[in-house]
Amino acid sequence: MARIAAPRGTADILPDDARRWQALENAMRDVFARYGYGEIRTPIFEHTELFARGIGEDTDVVEKEMYTFEDRGERSLTLRPEGTAGAVRAYLERRLDTEPQPVKLWYAGPMFRYERPQAGRARQFHQLGAECIGTMDPAADAEIIAMAASLFRRIGLADYELHLNSIGCPQCRPAYVRKLREALEPVRDSLCKSCQDRFERNTLRVLDCKRESCRAATQDAPSILDSLCEECADHFATVRRYLDELGIEYVINPRLVRGLDYYTKTVFEFLSPVLGAQDALGGGGRYDGLVETLGGPPTPAVGFAAGMERILLAAEGTLRGEAAALDAYVATLGDAGRRVGVVLAERLRRAGLRAELDYMGRSLKAQMRQANRLGAKTVLIIGDDEAKAGTVQLRDMESGDERTVGVDEAVHVLQEKRGEK
Ligand code: HAM
C-alpha cells in the first residue's frame, strides 16, 4: 500500500533531536521561573474571532495564514497562529485580572501558520513565549527583553542582534502614519504589489518589506521616533535606560514595525545572522490595547515569543542534548536465564536505574555488542547456572572486570555506581 507522508511544513522530532528540545525546555523553565513567570497552557484551537480581532484583520497572519475550519457544530475555529491572543483571552475568562497585578505567564507549544515552508519556516512550528499583563512600567519591557536574553545566554546563543523601536500609541501614531503616507505617495508606484496593498490598509508595514527595491524607495521615510507623543517618548527613553543599565546591547531600528497589529510603544526583535532569510529568532513588544480589544478593561501588557526551531538552529554548536547513559544491560542465555533477566531488568528500573535487555533473540556475543553500542556501563550476564544459583556475572564495561555476585548485591553495586556520578 502507498505510504502516507507527513503534511508539508511539519516535522517529526525524533528521540536524538528531542534531547536537544528537552535541553532547551529545561533551560527555558529555569529561566522563566527565575523571573517569576508561571506556565499557562491554552487550547490549540480557539474561536476564529479571537485571532481576527486580536491580531488584526489586515495582517498577513489573519488574512492568509490561518488554519481555519468549521467544526461539526458549524463553529469557525482556528489553530492558534501565536500565543498572545489565547493568553489574554484566558486572563480575562479565568479572572486573572482579579489577582495581584501584573500577571506573568509563559507558554511553549505548537503554533500553526499556512506559510510557504523554507529553512526556518514551517506550517506547524513551536514558540516559547511570555506575557506580563497589567503593568505599564517600562521596567517590565526591560524584564521581558532581559529574560529572553538570559535564555539565549544560558544556552550559549550569543550571535544575535537585538533591534528595538517604538511604534507609538493611538494618540501619536495616526499623525505619523499620515506623514508616512505623504512621504511615500511619490514613490508609491515603485513599491512591490503587496506594499502597494499595504500602503492602503496598513501603511506602517511598508517599512517592514524585505525587498531591496522597496527598501530603497522608503529609505528617506520619516522616522516614527520623531513623531512619538511625550508619553511614548518618555516610555521609550526609560526602556532604553534600563537596558543600558542591565548591560543589554541593542540597535535602534525605526523601521521595525512587527507583523501583528496589537503592538503599542515598545517593539523588539532578536535577529540571528546564521538563520538566513528567516532571521528572526523571536520578537515582541508592548500591547496596551489588546485586553480592551478582547472585551476587557484597559490593561497594559508586554510580551515576547521566539521560534523554538530557530533557536535550536542558531544554538547548533552550543546546545547539546544529554544522551542518558545506560546503567546496565541485562544479557541472558537460555530459558531460565531469560526469565530471571526479565524480572531483574524491571527490578533495576524500579530502583531508579536505566536498564535494557534484548528482545531480538540475539546471541550472547551480539548482546554484548548491543550493550556496547548503547553505552552500558555494566552488563549483568545471567545463564541457566546463574539463574539456578541466584547470582549474576557482573561485568564492568570500562575496566573489563568480571565477577559473580548475588542478585541483591548486583542491584546494590549499580546503585552505588550511579550515586558516584
Ligand atoms: P511573531 O514575530 O509573529 O510574534 O513570532 C515570534 C517568533 O516565532 C518569530 O520571531 C519566529 O522565530 C517564530 N515563527 C513565526 N512564524 C514561524 C514559522 N512559520 N515557522 C517557524 N517559526 C516561526 C508573535 O507571535 C507574538 N505573539 C509575540 C509576542 C508575545 N508579542 C507579545 N507577546
Side-chain angles (χ1 to χ4, degrees):
M1 273 221 271
R3 289 197 195 164
I4 300 167
R8 192 163 137 78
T10 67
D12 298 305
I13 301 163
L14 303 180
D16 278 346
D17 281 339
R19 281 200 283 271
R20 292 190 72 232
W21 281 78
Q22 287 160 2
L24 171 58
E25 286 158 7
N26 291 341
M28 160 194 92
R29 285 201 177 83
D30 182 52
V31 169
F32 287 161
R34 286 188 204 186
Y35 287 81
Y37 286 70
E39 183 180 3
I40 184 166
R41 301 188 187 201
T42 62
I44 299 285
F45 59 84
E46 299 268 4
H47 290 295
T48 301
E49 173 74 8
L50 176 73
F51 303 117
R53 227 201 293 162
I55 297 172
E57 301 273 5
D58 290 334
T59 58
D60 286 351
V61 170
V62 170
E63 212 174 82
K64 46 191 187 204
E65 295 172 2
M66 295 207 302
Y67 276 92
T68 297
F69 60 97
E70 220 173 64
D71 75 0
R72 288 170 195 275
E74 294 177 6
R75 299 170 199 91
S76 179
L77 300 173
T78 294
L79 301 185
R80 61 182 189 191
E82 57 104 54
T84 310
V88 169
R89 182 208 37 77
Y91 169 88
L92 287 171
E93 191 171 348
R94 308 301 165 199
R95 296 313 311 263
L96 301 182
D97 58 328
T98 62
E99 293 183 3
Q101 305 292 299
V103 170
K104 307 211 283 189
L105 307 168
W106 70 264
Y107 51 84
M111 307 289 164
F112 306 84
R113 295 184 191 179
Y114 191 81
E115 295 192 81
R116 203 159 39 76
Q118 60 180 83
R121 193 161 75 187
R123 291 182 171 170
Q124 170 168 338
F125 61 100
H126 298 75
Q127 280 185 350
L128 55 84
E131 315 291 347
C132 178
I133 308 175
T135 177
M136 56 199 297
D137 190 335
D141 307 37
E143 177 179 275
I144 282 280
I145 292 171
M147 184 163 75
S150 226
L151 174 61
F152 297 151
R153 191 176 327 115
R154 171 72 183 268
I155 60 171
L157 202 179
D159 194 10
Y160 63 80
E161 254 180 29
L162 167 60
H163 284 209
L164 187 69
N165 192 22
S166 172
I167 56 167
C169 68
Q171 263 66 54
C172 54
R173 199 186 306 152
Y176 171 72
V177 171
R178 272 198 302 279
K179 223 158 97 181
L180 183 63
R181 287 173 73 105
E182 269 167 37
L184 296 186
E185 187 63 57
V187 295
R188 195 170 156 176
D189 294 343
S190 61
L191 299 174
C192 72
K193 219 185 135 305
S194 56
C195 278
Q196 296 199 14
D197 192 41
R198 284 178 190 139
F199 182 89
E200 286 299 336
R201 299 189 300 150
N202 205 341
T203 317
L204 265 190
R205 295 274 295 138
V206 174
L207 294 176
D208 200 34
C209 187
K210 296 225 155 63
R211 266 172 210 260
E212 239 359 280
S213 52
C214 293
R215 298 223 138 214
T218 59
Q219 192 179 316
D220 299 323
S223 163
I224 189 160
L225 294 174
D226 297 328
S227 296
L228 297 179
C229 60
E230 198 180 331
E231 187 192 310
C232 287
D234 281 352
H235 188 95
F236 193 52
T238 312
V239 172
R240 291 186 55 174
R241 198 193 68 215
Y242 279 129
L243 292 177
D244 292 338
E245 284 169 359
L246 295 175
I248 293 173
E249 284 176 29
Y250 54 84
V251 178
I252 299 291
N253 177 1
R255 302 179 73 104
L256 177 67
V257 295
R258 308 270 305 137
L260 314 169
D261 273 356
Y262 48 62
Y263 292 108
T264 53
K265 294 192 167 77
T266 319
V267 290
F268 58 88
E269 246 164 40
F270 291 91
L271 304 173
S272 159
V274 306
L275 290 180
Q278 301 303 315
D279 62 351
L281 275 172
R286 183 161 276 287
Y287 49 94
D288 294 340
L290 181 59
V291 178
E292 217 176 337
T293 302
L294 295 179
T299 309
V302 59
F304 91 102
M308 297 177 76
E309 287 83 355
R310 293 189 192 175
I311 295 178
L312 288 165
L313 269 174
E316 193 96 72
T318 53
L319 181 67
R320 289 210 175 72
E322 224 172 282
L326 198 59
D327 295 303
Y329 188 92
V330 179
T332 66
L333 200 63
D335 286 346
R338 176 73 184 162
R339 294 231 302 272
V340 173
V342 168
V343 175
L344 177 57
E346 172 67 11
R347 183 171 162 193
L348 295 173
R349 291 160 174 167
R350 289 188 193 179
L353 298 159
R354 292 175 198 262
E356 186 56 289
L357 72 167
D358 172 53
Y359 288 103
M360 301 309 292
R362 289 184 176 88
S363 69
L364 184 60
K365 208 167 144 197
Q367 290 182 62
M368 295 307 288
R369 267 202 305 272
Q370 179 69 356
N372 230 333
R373 250 199 308 272
L374 295 174
K377 285 188 247 157
T378 305
V379 178
L380 303 179
I381 304 160
I382 310 167
D384 289 342
D385 291 347
E386 285 81 7
K388 212 182 287 166
T391 59
V392 302
Q393 279 182 54
L394 188 149
R395 179 185 294 184
D396 185 310
M397 296 297 272
E398 266 162 34
S399 63
D401 289 349
E402 196 171 303
R403 58 195 164 114
T404 302
V405 298
V407 169
D408 289 348
E409 195 190 340
V411 176
H412 184 70
V413 168
L414 289 172
Q415 280 180 314
E416 294 272 289
K417 220 168 165 178
R418 180 84 196 257
E420 279 167 18
K421 275 203 298 169

